Amino acid sequence: MVVGGGITGCSAAWYLAQFGADVLLLEQHDLNTQASGRNAGSLHGQIQQPSFRERGEAWARDFLPSLRFLIDSLHIWDSLTDLLGSDLEVSLKGGLLIADSSDQMRLIESKVALERSAGVQSDILGPSDLRRVAPYLSDSMVGAQLCHVEGKCNPLLAAPALARAARQEGGRVIVGAEVLSLEEDNGRFVATTNKGRFESNRVVLAAGNGLNRFSRLWGTPLPIASEPVQAAATEPVSSVVDHLVYFAGDKLTFKQARSGNLLIGGGWAADVDPASGVARVNLQSLISNMAVAMRAVPSLTGVRLIRSWAGIGLATPDLAPIVGSLGPAGLYVGVYPHLGLTAGPLLGKVLAQLALDRAPDFDLGTFAPDRF
Ligand SMILES: Cc1cc2nc3c(=O)[nH]c(=O)nc-3n(C[C@H](O)[C@H](O)[C@H](O)COP(=O)(O)OP(=O)(O)OC[C@H]3O[C@@H](n4cnc5c(N)ncnc54)[C@H](O)[C@@H]3O)c2cc1C
């Protein structure tokens, strides 16, 4: 049984079904309606610059296994369209972390050196090379990191396509089924939902922001913090941006969807409605995010913003994922903070492997839930 119909849960269900398990996925709303369907579609393969700036090199060194996890997941993304027979609009043409000062470039160079030690290859571009590959950027940019493995996808397509593939392999997917309680008795789990009771001898918890509710049931709650964040889209414009673009001077991600819309984000804080717990756009964050975007891409001044939205992102204290066994034998939990769209395909795969007593494709030692 899998709880959660985001990218992680749908991937887990697909792999479980492929491995021959009798799989049931339970989702409280519709598929892909929480973080997995609200993100900005960036496929990340570098240490995020704001975290590097704030937490420093020692943290970044410890983060390298988490970076490798993203890289291995990007390998799955690269073939996912073919594996699923469904176009997910994946494009891995690289990520550009641009800089407008020599201090920023120095920090980028030390980050790139660390990433290289984990096998992630990037080029350092000077101003003329940067203008050649991204002529739409401000002339004030003095250079960039070009990280070759990064890119983008359409997050509205991915989780539903994985769930469809799980169904085609014999899996069952029930939406509108909120798991209200989960009990274990003699190695058998019983999930009580508003659509009835379901039993299984293995459970994968891929419930995202709902995970803490379950982790409290078995000892100390996992230290997962909710971080409401937002993103925005412009009207479609003619094709100009190939890369996933970040800015070392402030929080920004910038890319172009296949539809032509420019997607702008970078982890700017959203609000949460205190009554419903639903994330909503913070206007000041939106204004600040657009100001940073226009600093990087001045021609944005002539483009209309058409939509902004918010969702709940998650953080762990060390920004590393939490993956492994929790509580009674047979229960597994998986969450990748901040960058969980990128991590989702591999996270689902290793959760499926754990649940079936197979050796996971990735050494999960440093991600154990009991490390805190
Ligand atoms: C605005 C925003 C932008 C982001 N941008 C990016 C990005 O560009 N790139 C990137 O890699 N990551 C990004 N992220 C992070 C990424 O979206 C998440 O890390 C990822 O989607 C998490 O996937 P998930 O399947 O683990 O969780 P979710 O997508 O949250 O799915 C969990 C599911 O579990 C269900 N659930 C919870 N409790 C229960 C219950 N009791 N019973 C039944 N079902 C339950 C929920 O309804 C939900 O559908 C962004 C996040 C946000 C909010």
Side-chain angles (χ1 to χ4, degrees):
M1 182 193 303
V2 178
V3 181
I7 186 82
T8 308
C10 292
S11 169
W14 179 53
Y15 279 107
L16 282 164
Q18 284 186 90
F19 295 152
D22 177 16
V23 57
L24 166 68
L25 184 149
L26 299 172
E27 163 56 47
Q28 62 183 345
H29 305 302
D30 204 347
L31 296 173
N32 210 33
T33 50
Q34 301 308 304
S36 298
R38 293 165 182 248
N39 60 66
S42 307
L43 296 178
H44 302 283
Q46 63 176 283
I47 299 168
Q48 297 302 288
Q49 173 78 356
S51 307
F52 186 69
R53 203 171 45 225
E54 284 157 24
R55 294 174 179 241
E57 285 213 27
W59 165 79
R61 202 162 291 111
D62 290 345
F63 185 77
L64 292 179
S66 309
L67 178 64
R68 278 285 355 151
F69 193 90
L70 293 179
I71 301 302
D72 287 6
S73 198
L74 284 169
H75 289 315
I76 303 180
W77 274 109
D78 199 17
S79 52
L80 207 49
T81 286
D82 290 341
L83 292 172
L84 298 177
S86 184
D87 185 359
L88 307 180
E89 301 182 11
V90 176
S91 158
L92 297 173
K93 293 189 177 165
L96 273 178
L97 171 59
I98 59 175
D100 67 357
S101 77
S102 49
D103 280 356
Q104 289 168 16
M105 283 307 295
R106 266 193 296 279
L107 208 59
I108 288 176
E109 279 161 19
S110 54
K111 187 171 80 68
V112 166
L114 264 181
E115 290 165 352
R116 282 190 180 137
S117 73
V120 180
Q121 295 312 324
S122 288
D123 293 330
I124 298 289
L125 305 185
S128 54
D129 280 338
L130 182 56
R131 264 174 253 318
R132 186 176 45 75
V133 299
Y136 52 85
L137 291 172
S138 160
D139 287 342
S140 64
M141 297 301 153
V142 298
Q145 167 184 2
L146 173 55
C147 176
H148 296 288
V149 289
E150 297 192 297
K152 56 195 174 185
C153 70
N154 185 336
L156 300 178
L157 302 176
L162 286 160
R164 242 183 349 263
R167 279 196 177 110
Q168 279 160 7
E169 300 272 354
R172 282 178 301 151
V173 176
I174 304 183
V175 296
E178 180 182 5
V179 177
L180 301 165
S181 72
L182 186 62
E183 282 156 23
E184 187 262 350
D185 183 25
N186 261 334
R188 205 78 195 139
F189 292 88
V190 180
T192 305
T193 78
N194 52 313
K195 289 201 168 175
R197 281 156 57 90
F198 300 93
E199 286 192 29
S200 178
N201 57 357
R202 299 294 162 103
V203 176
V204 168
L205 288 176
N209 191 39
L211 269 178
N212 269 337
R213 167 175 174 180
F214 295 107
S215 76
R216 276 193 210 103
L217 294 174
W218 289 288
T220 320
L222 292 169
I224 302 172
S226 300
E227 288 187 351
V229 285
Q230 60 191 51
T234 71
E235 63 186 331
V237 297
S238 57
S239 184
V240 282
V241 186
D242 275 343
H243 301 102
L244 161 62
V245 178
Y246 316 83
F247 177 34
D250 212 330
K251 290 187 294 186
L252 178 69
T253 59
F254 177 79
K255 73 188 83 68
Q256 188 163 25
R258 193 186 290 168
S259 54
N261 307 79
L262 299 169
L263 303 178
I264 303 170
W268 287 83
D271 295 325
V272 173
D273 183 295
S276 64
V278 172
R280 61 182 184 205
V281 170
N282 175 294
L283 190 57
Q284 191 50 54
S285 282
L286 182 61
I287 292 167
S288 302
N289 194 178
M290 293 312 120
V292 176
M294 285 190 279
R295 197 169 138 198
V297 186
S299 59
L300 271 178
T301 42
V303 182
R304 273 176 302 192
L305 198 67
I306 59 165
R307 195 161 76 88
S308 181
W309 64 95
I312 308 278
L314 300 177
T316 59
D318 51 9
L319 296 188
I322 297 176
V323 195
S325 170
L326 177 81
L331 181 67
Y332 300 93
V333 64
V335 61
Y336 196 112
H338 289 186
L339 312 174
L341 172 72
T342 310
L346 180 59
L347 186 52
K349 185 176 192 184
V350 297
L351 285 167
Q353 289 169 325
L354 288 173
L356 298 179
D357 298 325
R358 293 179 175 219
D361 277 7
F362 198 92
D363 176 0
L364 301 170
T366 56
F367 305 155
D370 62 6
R371 71 179 182 276
F372 300 103

